[in-house]
Amino acid sequence: MTLSEITSPAAIKNMSENELEALAGEVREKIIRTVALNGGHLASNMGAVELTIALHRVLNCPTDKLVFDVGHQCYTHKLLTGRYDRFSTLRKTDGVCGFPRRDESPYDAFDTGHASTAISAALGMARARDMKGEKWRVAAVVGDGAMTGGMCYEALNDAGSSQIPMMVVLNDNGMSISRNVGALSGQLTKLRVSRGWLGAKKKVSEALRHIPLAGPHLQNVFQRFKDHVRNVLVKDRFFTTLGFRYFGPIDGHDIAGMERVFRRCLEINEPVLVHVVTKKGLGFTQAEERPEKYHGVAPFELENGMNRGTEGPSMGKRAGAFVTELAEKDPRICVVTAAMTDSTGFGEFAKRYPARLYDVGIAEEHAVTMAAGMAAAGMRPLVAIYETFLQRAYDQLMEDVCLQRLPVCFLMDRAGLGAEDGSTHHGIYGVSMLRTLPNMTVLCPRCEDEMRGMIAWALSQDGPVAIRYPRSVPEMDVPDFQDYLPGKWENLRQGDHACLLASSSILRECLNAADQLEKEGIRTAVVNASTLRPLDEEMLKRLSEKGTPIITVEEHAASGGFGSAVAAWCVRHRFPGPAYMIALPDSFIPHGSRSVLLERCGLNADGIAARVREAQKG
Ligand SMILES: Cc1ncc(C[n+]2csc(CCOP(=O)(O)OP(=O)(O)O)c2C)c(N)n1
């Protein structure tokens, strides 16, 4: 049976070892070809092929539950659970999602995208199962990178003391997006290094079992010796102290070997952790050699792995370069990232100032409070982070930064639609989140120059500042940015029939809408409202007094965003509020191409122009 004929995991249950090996090859081929066309998470998926096959051999999904942490490694799972036919639509609008989605398939046990949640979710399922008196198994697959996240330990601590049967599979490839960090990572490396030794001993142990009479006894003695050595290696018995039975490390590319261990572990009536060692990127040479570069990729050439796109340096990279410049003159400047040093554009800073870049692992809450501590002790920390992942640290933002008015600068990358990655990755809730925090300033630049002005200004302030920017800002036919004037909005285009207030990348759609309207005789002003908190009250007053219909436009959720802020200000000052507040709907936005998503949400030039026409009719 070939991969294309598999419609459920039942089809792989009776395959021979050779057939499974061939299947793993087919899966890899399919993933490489699809990701080369659509982009996606290549290296993580390449490393998890055999692991996923072995799990689906021993589990009976969807009755048994398989929970993936982050979920970016779920492509093999999708291919084995009836989505082969649609797999070419991976990450496309209305296509297969790159992450597990419960509304896509009953085999996707839990929606994920943000790290370190799988053990908690699996424990919840196991508890629900026991409460209902049902009999099925739960397994959580967690990467060593995700294990740097605090939620994992909260969950292990709880699960270990509850002694509820569940299996955690630690997929250890030594990598987060870049090389993994932290003390546990060091400990896992020691275990991994010992793998060859344990493997050799296993062979001896098995050979001993076959010696009649003397065999079983010798094997027992030998087993005790081996356990002792393993326990010495797991020096502080990390997982066993937390109440888990620990097995491993085992080879994550040996399907039969993993199956044997998984079957045994699933019979144990306790929480069990199986430590599986895999190679990130396995099967695509470039990804094996540079897994950090092939973690998440844009479409690439199959022959040489080269990126097909021609996008220039991201806003994050530009921010990183500017902060590197500033750091030369100001020794207080330091940068905190949560496992995203390169992704946020701070790879060069890390090389230039290794002692001033702190990668704390996938630990956003800790990153924010740690930065607050640094600020409290006189440093000028910048937290480089994707907007969506800062959501994790709302309480820390409030209690540890804003309440104490500490000068932490947040560089919030990937603001706006995360497009192909989908609902878990859109940066469209940041304004609502930050706008409610006293002492916080929220900025959103339209270009690199404005961003530089904002960063320099933020570093001169004695309170927190958040600067949100998308991966890249589109070219716009407007005059070059001049000096950054804190709190002042910028008139990009004159017009007295209507006024569009917007910021960052969505400004281009506004300018295009204004072009369309101009041809119809509707003169539409476009304002770069780049300070979102506080608002430019003088400009708002002027506009309101003139009676120009205001329309706010934002690539952000409608609830609590910029439009809400302007509307609330107008109510407070008894001015007519915005004629329209154009924003993303109050629902989760799925994955898809940004242009289609904008169109569907009425946020492209046509949609915006239509609203201005309506406003003209009164
Ligand atoms: C809360 C959160 N922060 C950051 C990320 C970005 N991120 C996605 S995958 C990843 C690394 C995961 O490493 P690991 O769990 O070891 O999986 P691997 O890709 O190595 O298989 C990171 C940092 C995220 N998904 N969620």
Side-chain angles (χ1 to χ4, degrees):
M1 177 178 283
T2 61
L3 176 62
S4 61
E5 293 162 317
I6 293 174
T7 53
S8 86
I12 67 166
K13 301 277 185 205
N14 296 321
M15 282 186 172
S16 66
E17 275 193 39
N18 286 345
E19 285 171 322
L20 290 171
E21 206 175 298
L23 176 69
E26 274 189 87
V27 168
R28 282 210 167 80
E29 167 99 17
K30 183 75 180 168
I31 292 175
I32 294 170
R33 288 190 180 281
T34 310
V35 177
L37 287 174
N38 300 10
H41 288 92
L42 187 66
S44 315
N45 279 292
M46 299 299 279
V49 174
E50 286 82 9
L51 169 57
T52 311
I53 292 175
L55 282 165
H56 272 302
R57 294 256 300 168
V58 299
L59 294 169
N60 291 317
C61 296
T63 305
D64 290 340
K65 310 295 175 217
L66 177 54
V67 184
F68 288 99
D69 204 286
V70 186
H72 62 318
Q73 73 290 60
C74 70
Y75 296 178
T76 305
H77 163 78
K78 295 217 169 188
L79 286 167
L80 299 180
T81 53
R83 282 165 277 185
Y84 176 91
D85 285 348
R86 298 179 58 218
F87 200 68
S88 59
T89 66
L90 182 74
R91 305 172 86 241
K92 299 272 183 207
T93 316
D94 303 324
V96 170
C97 182
F99 294 88
R101 287 289 171 265
R102 296 169 73 229
D103 58 9
E104 190 179 283
S105 163
Y107 287 96
D108 292 2
F110 202 74
D111 287 16
T112 43
H114 288 203
S116 317
T117 61
I119 308 175
S120 299
L123 176 60
M125 288 173 192
R127 282 195 164 127
R129 169 199 64 200
D130 293 355
M131 287 172 80
K132 288 159 73 183
E134 293 176 353
K135 295 257 170 279
W136 35 267
R137 285 100 41 101
V138 187
V141 178
V142 189
D144 57 309
M147 273 286 185
T148 56
M151 266 185 88
C152 288
Y153 302 97
E154 296 168 30
L156 286 172
N157 192 36
D158 186 6
S161 70
S162 74
Q163 285 298 297
I164 286 175
M166 63 185 282
M167 180 169 81
V168 174
V169 179
L170 168 57
N171 173 15
D172 176 12
N173 53 26
M175 299 291 293
S176 192
I177 292 180
S178 311
R179 190 143 289 290
N180 202 9
V181 297
L184 178 68
S185 169
Q187 192 64 26
L188 292 177
T189 305
K190 281 189 202 149
L191 282 167
R192 236 181 290 125
V193 170
S194 72
R195 189 174 62 122
W197 189 89
L198 289 175
K201 298 298 171 204
K202 180 168 165 276
K203 281 190 196 124
V204 180
S205 170
E206 264 163 20
L208 286 172
R209 198 196 326 212
H210 298 298
I211 302 173
L213 295 177
H217 172 68
L218 263 183
Q219 202 218 347
N220 280 344
V221 173
F222 189 77
Q223 184 63 44
R224 281 205 298 277
F225 171 65
K226 206 169 86 168
D227 286 348
H228 173 70
V229 173
R230 182 184 290 145
N231 287 339
V232 170
L233 285 167
V234 188
K235 267 195 191 119
D236 53 357
R237 301 187 186 191
F238 191 75
F239 298 110
T240 45
T241 305
L242 285 166
F244 271 72
R245 291 275 292 271
Y246 170 89
F247 291 84
I250 61 170
D251 181 349
H253 300 295
D254 169 8
I255 298 175
M258 278 186 286
E259 250 188 84
R260 272 197 298 277
V261 176
F262 291 158
R263 280 190 204 287
R264 211 178 122 206
C265 288
L266 285 165
E267 280 165 13
I268 298 174
N269 236 3
E270 291 169 33
V272 174
L273 184 137
V274 187
H275 180 183
V276 168
V277 179
T278 59
K279 179 151 183 60
K280 197 159 177 172
L282 186 72
F284 191 67
T285 313
Q286 291 88 342
E288 281 179 44
E289 286 167 0
R290 300 207 47 201
E292 70 290 352
K293 188 165 172 233
Y294 288 86
H295 176 86
V297 288
F300 62 88
E301 301 292 347
L302 266 180
E303 300 68 44
N304 53 18
M306 298 285 280
N307 189 333
R308 288 212 199 121
T310 50
E311 270 190 67
S314 64
M315 286 289 271
K317 261 217 151 93
R318 294 167 199 261
F322 184 53
V323 173
T324 309
E325 266 175 47
L326 296 177
E328 205 167 311
K329 289 179 217 101
D330 187 347
R332 298 172 309 159
I333 290 177
C334 48
V335 174
V336 181
T337 78
M340 305 281 284
T341 304
D342 287 316
S343 317
T344 53
F346 279 78
E348 287 307 313
F349 182 97
K351 280 191 200 133
R352 179 94 170 72
Y353 298 110
R356 290 161 70 179
L357 183 293
Y358 300 91
D359 176 358
V360 299
I362 308 179
E364 287 78 8
E365 302 100 309
H366 164 59
V368 171
T369 302
M370 206 272 290
M374 296 185 97
M379 302 308 281
R380 284 295 171 149
L382 297 104
V383 178
I385 194 162
Y386 281 13
E387 174 159 326
T388 184
F389 301 135
L390 186 59
Q391 287 165 198
R392 273 278 160 93
Y394 189 62
D395 185 61
Q396 286 77 5
L397 280 168
M398 184 178 296
E399 302 290 314
D400 302 332
V401 177
C402 291
L403 186 65
Q404 307 179 56
R405 200 156 183 266
L406 286 166
V408 181
C409 176
F410 294 91
L411 297 176
M412 295 167 62
D413 203 339
R414 303 304 200 267
L417 289 167
E420 287 81 6
D421 280 334
S423 53
T424 49
H425 282 64
H426 297 314
I428 57 175
Y429 307 101
V431 177
S432 335
M433 179 169 78
L434 297 166
R435 198 168 73 73
T436 55
L437 298 173
N439 291 333
M440 181 62 96
T441 299
V442 187
L443 309 173
C444 209
R446 72 162 163 94
C447 62
E448 178 179 356
D449 286 343
E450 185 170 24
M451 178 177 69
R452 288 166 78 104
M454 288 172 171
I455 293 175
W457 177 79
L459 288 168
S460 73
Q461 296 305 293
D462 54 9
V465 178
I467 306 174
R468 311 170 64 235
Y469 44 80
R471 189 200 178 280
S472 49
V473 282
E475 290 288 314
M476 285 183 262
D477 188 15
V478 287
D480 286 346
F481 186 79
Q482 297 302 312
D483 289 341
Y484 175 66
L485 300 172
K488 293 286 159 227
W489 293 350
E490 178 196 19
N491 243 313
L492 290 180
R493 191 182 171 122
Q494 305 295 335
D496 46 11
H497 289 149
C499 178
L500 298 170
L501 299 180
S503 61
S504 191
S505 48
I506 206 66
L507 277 167
R508 184 162 82 177
E509 300 299 326
C510 294
L511 291 162
N512 290 346
D515 282 344
Q516 280 186 27
L517 295 160
E518 180 83 41
K519 291 182 193 129
E520 301 162 27
I522 304 173
R523 291 188 301 277
T524 311
V526 179
V527 167
N528 171 25
S530 59
T531 304
L532 277 62
R533 183 197 151 98
L535 300 171
D536 181 348
E537 300 196 30
E538 276 175 31
M539 168 92 82
L540 276 176
K541 265 185 204 145
R542 269 201 312 277
L543 286 169
S544 301
E545 278 158 8
K546 270 205 314 196
T548 317
I550 294 172
I551 296 163
T552 59
V553 186
E554 58 196 311
E555 190 175 331
H556 185 278
S559 292
F562 172 62
S564 306
V566 172
W569 182 90
C570 289
V571 169
R572 235 181 359 257
H573 293 83
R574 296 171 191 274
F575 283 120
Y580 279 104
M581 289 156 49
I582 310 179
L584 295 165
D586 188 14
S587 58
F588 287 104
I589 314 286
H591 58 282
S593 92
R594 178 171 178 270
S595 58
V596 174
L597 294 177
L598 286 182
E599 185 192 336
R600 287 185 181 176
C601 298
L603 264 164
N604 64 351
D606 289 348
I608 296 166
R611 285 281 176 269
V612 175
R613 281 184 209 107
E614 280 176 44
Q616 293 305 292
K617 288 182 203 140

